Every structure is written in structure tokens, then in C-alpha cells.
Amino acid sequence: GKSGYDHYMLKEIHEQPAAIRGCLRERVEELTGSIELPELTALARPARVQFVACGTSYHAALYGAQLLRDHGIAAQAFLASEYGADRVPVPAGTLVVGVTQSGETADTMRALREAAATGATTLAVTNVVGSSAAREADHVVYIRAGPEIGVAATKTFASQQVALAMVARVLAGSETQSAVESLRAIPDGIQQVLDESLAREVAETYLGAEAYFFIGRGLDAPVAREGALKMKEITYKHAEGFAAGELKHGPLALVTEETPVFATITGDDDAVAKTLGNVREVRARNAPVIAVTDRPETAGADATHVLPVPPLGRELTPVLANVQLQLVSYWSANLLGRSIDKPRNLAKSVTVE
Ligand code: M6R
């Protein structure tokens, strides 16, 4: 059941600290700073990695690809529906990673099969034990989030991010004590976000808006896309999420005082400074800005509202920022009386191409 929550989605948002603990269990060793993924021991360091995924899982793949590149491995994320092994070259030494919660998504399965047919090694990062992806891929890493009933992916996205953060470091051989400490701090960090009610207040304030924008740069860019997907999926409102730098290449034309802009602002000083430049651009058009940030005093200074998150370092703070956006979407949909757990026209698992 829903354990007293009004919706599975809210229950699953609140299950995230436990889900992440499950994902990390027996995989991280704080004393030595090692990350144990026995599932990957048979795997040589790949020359390059191609991710294939859909929807929310694609956003996790974008995050994972960026982490791998940061650790020196060439990596790209592809939408599974656009991935044709005939068009995308898969040179020898390529690892193809299917990220799929259900392990049954038809587009992702087809992409994995095409990759396997070209001789690539495949890895499934999935939640469902014994799913098609788990059975067919050469290697499997389970995200261990537990069953997710709500159509909107929430805890499974966080668990995908954490699993991919571990996979990236193991493949690159760049496990460190501080990385392990940050991973272990995620459940408490999420709990802090969940204990506040600021997201609900933001949802109420902007409930009348017809469109929402989400921006972020670097590892915050997938969070921006995911924030917009969640918003449109459960509120039926128009929402767009994109890399912050793209704003002035078109979307800025749509920004008025009626369009709330959610700006996720974490990362290094340079990235933060650039995104704050984007924030000033939209503030100059009188658009409300909701800053989701681990540095509320500085990065939140020009914002209309601030949704703070605890600082967990460049790689993992975006996981916490996403939780704030989940809560804003949830409360927006709730106040609008939407069918949150079963949005119109959508299915939990998309088994047709
Ligand atoms: O089971 P999968 O992770 O392969 O599903 C992929 C998408 O259909 C899924 O993430 C979808 O975008 C979510 N409902 C979004 O909340």
C-alpha cells in the first residue's frame, strides 16, 4: 500500500534515502575508499562507452556519460529510439550500457540487441531482477531501488544516478575515499531536502503559470531536463528543460514575467558564475527565478525563491537538487488535482517501439 501517503509518487520520493542505502550496500568501503562492483570485474576498461536509454533513464545516462568523460573515458548518451547500430559506429572496445528501470523498454532492448549484434559488450543498469535487459546483457548492475509503482520515475532516477556514479569510478579506476564519503552522505542529504516544505510553497506560488523553464549546466543539465519531464508528465503543463547556455539561443524569446525559471546551480565556481549570468538575463525580463542550489547566499542572491540543498561535492549535489524539483512537480500536480500515479496517456513500461 501507500503507507499513509496520498500517492505512490510521494511515498517513493520519501523512500529515496532507503533506496540509495540499498544501492550502496556492500558496494562502498569507507575505510579503504574502494567501490566493489563484482558484476564488473570481468570487464576490461572500455575504450569508449555508449549509453542507450529513454525518458528519465536517458537523463540518468546523460549524467553517467558526463561522469565517465570527467574520469577520462570517452562516453556518449543516445536516445534508444534514435540509436541505430548501422548509423552510429561501434568500434571494437566499445561498451554499450542500457539504462532501463523496468528492463523491458522496447526501444532500449532493440538498441542493446543491435549493439550486441555488432560485437559490442553490453551492460544493463536496471532495477528489475530477471528482466529482459538483465537476462540479455553480458553484464548487469542492479540499482536496487525496490518496486516503483508511480508512472513518474523518482527513486529509480536517484538510484540510477548513484549506480552510474559508482560504475563510472570503477570503470575508470578512480575510486577515492572522498568519493565514497560523498556517496555515503547522499541518504542524509536527501532526508534534509525532504524535511523542508519549501518546495510546496514554491508550487503554490507558481501554480497559475502556463509554462515552466528548467535550466542547469554541466551535471545540472540532465537535472533540468528531468525536472521539466516530471513537471509535464504529472501536471500536464508545458515545461522545457535545457542546458543553461542555450537560453539565449532561442528559448529566451518565450521568457516573460509569467514564466517561472527553475535554475539548478551547483558545481564549480566557473559553472556557477555562468549560470548566474543566465539568471540575470531572465530576471531582466522579470521572470521569477527559483534557484536550486548548495550555495544559497551567493547563487540565490538574485533569485525570487531559493530551494537549498546540502553541499555534497560537484558530482553528487545534482542528485539532491533533483529531489527538490520532484517535490515541486508533485505538489503542483497535487494542488491541481491531477492523476499523479497514473498520468493520462502514459504507461509505466513502454513495450512498443
Ligand atoms: O523502464 P525504463 O527506465 O526503460 O523507462 C524509460 C521511460 O519510459 C521512463 O523513464 C519514463 O520516461 C518515466 N515514466 C518518466 O517519469
Side-chain angles (χ1 to χ4, degrees):
K2 292 180 226 162
S3 326
Y5 290 102
D6 287 344
H7 300 96
Y8 281 108
M9 183 182 177
L10 189 61
K11 174 178 180 255
E12 288 157 1
I13 287 173
H14 281 266
E15 280 172 351
Q16 290 179 114
I20 301 306
R21 279 189 201 100
C23 187
L24 296 174
R25 190 167 301 125
E26 285 169 12
R27 288 173 167 172
V28 286
E29 175 52 67
E30 206 142 4
L31 286 177
T32 58
S34 67
I35 299 175
E36 304 288 337
L37 290 176
E39 304 91 322
L40 301 184
T41 25
L43 208 65
R45 181 190 165 104
R48 69 198 62 70
V49 175
Q50 296 181 349
F51 286 93
V52 293
C54 304
T56 291
S57 295
Y58 173 65
H59 300 150
L62 287 169
Y63 172 80
Q66 203 173 314
L67 289 180
L68 274 165
R69 292 195 296 269
D70 290 347
H71 292 286
I73 294 182
Q76 280 173 282
F78 296 90
L79 286 166
S81 59
E82 293 287 314
Y83 183 86
D86 51 342
R87 272 160 278 135
V88 183
V90 186
T94 302
L95 173 68
V96 177
V97 183
V99 184
T100 167
Q101 184 284 130
S102 63
E104 303 297 344
T105 300
D107 287 318
T108 308
M109 288 311 301
R110 184 199 49 80
L112 276 175
R113 285 176 190 136
E114 279 186 25
T118 69
T121 304
T122 56
L123 165 67
V125 176
T126 185
N127 195 31
V128 179
V129 176
S131 58
S132 300
R135 281 184 281 110
E136 290 187 32
D138 299 319
H139 305 268
V140 192
V141 169
Y142 287 111
I143 65 169
R144 303 181 185 159
E148 188 175 67
I149 310 293
V151 164
T154 53
K155 65 173 177 173
T156 57
F157 179 67
S159 298
Q160 286 170 338
Q161 288 176 303
V162 170
L164 290 174
M166 289 192 285
V167 167
R169 286 197 176 257
V170 168
L171 289 180
S174 57
E175 300 135 83
T176 64
Q177 205 156 352
S178 76
V180 166
E181 278 164 21
S182 301
L183 284 164
R184 301 263 308 220
I186 296 173
D188 286 348
I190 294 180
Q191 195 58 53
Q192 282 184 52
V193 173
L194 294 174
D195 287 344
E196 291 161 4
S197 53
L198 297 169
R200 184 182 171 146
E201 198 182 298
V202 166
E204 262 163 14
T205 306
Y206 301 110
L207 202 59
E210 275 171 24
Y212 301 92
F213 280 11
F214 294 79
I215 60 171
R217 112 185 15 247
L219 292 168
D220 289 331
V223 172
R225 292 182 190 234
E226 175 60 9
L229 175 58
K230 218 90 307 181
M231 186 64 105
K232 69 183 89 163
E233 192 176 20
I234 61 169
T235 67
Y236 313 151
K237 296 276 197 83
H238 177 236
E240 272 195 65
F242 45 85
E246 278 298 289
L247 194 62
K248 55 170 113 39
H249 298 289
L252 192 57
L254 296 173
V255 172
T256 70
E257 69 231 7
E258 311 278 315
T259 39
V261 179
F262 290 86
T264 297
I265 315 172
T266 76
D268 56 33
D269 292 345
D270 183 48
V272 167
K274 284 184 177 158
T275 306
L276 285 178
N278 302 125
V279 165
R280 280 189 289 276
E281 282 162 2
V282 298
R283 288 297 294 131
R285 275 88 191 166
N286 296 318
V289 169
I290 304 91
V292 185
T293 181
D294 56 347
R295 7 178 139 183
E297 291 82 21
T298 47
D302 292 328
T304 328
H305 285 266
V306 178
L307 295 174
V309 295
L312 260 194
R314 196 186 68 85
E315 289 192 3
L316 297 174
T317 307
V319 177
L320 308 182
N322 185 64
V323 176
Q324 287 286 22
L325 298 181
Q326 292 172 344
L327 288 167
V328 174
S329 290
Y330 173 80
W331 284 112
S332 303
N334 182 306
L335 295 164
L336 290 166
R338 301 293 192 236
S339 165
I340 293 180
D341 287 334
K342 281 184 183 296
R344 69 184 181 203
N345 308 338
L346 300 177
K348 182 68 182 162
S349 172
V350 183
T351 52
V352 289
E353 281 184 35

